[in-house]
Amino acid sequence: MPFAIGGSGSTFIYGLVDSDFKENMTKDEALALCAKAVSHAMARDGSSGGVIRTCVATAEGNEREMIPGNKLPYGPAGW
């Protein structure tokens, strides 16, 4: 399996990730897929939070980002 999904909202996004994931994605493509998938899960899961936090680990260090709830690619603010 080339990826792992977990968390209370994960059952809502397996089909989306199976459809959109591809090998050798760029960092930007992978981050966009993560944001899309997590925002879809958040829209359906009452236990999920209101923001998305990402961390890309590289040899040079960690790159952290936060997407606030009003900037999510899918969900109440994006419908």
Side-chain angles (χ1 to χ4, degrees), residues 16-39:
L16 186 149
V17 176
D18 282 339
S19 173
D20 289 5
F21 176 83
K22 63 184 182 204
E23 294 285 340
N24 301 313
M25 296 174 84
T26 66
K27 179 178 78 170
D28 288 340
E29 290 171 329
L31 285 168
L33 175 56
C34 286
K36 179 180 178 181
V38 172
S39 64

Side-chain angles (χ1 to χ4, degrees), residues 1 3 7 39-40 43 49-50 60-61 64 67 69-70 73:
M1 190 88 174
F3 57 83
S39 64
H40 273 263
E60 291 77 37
R64 300 174 190 270
I67 304 171
N70 64 342

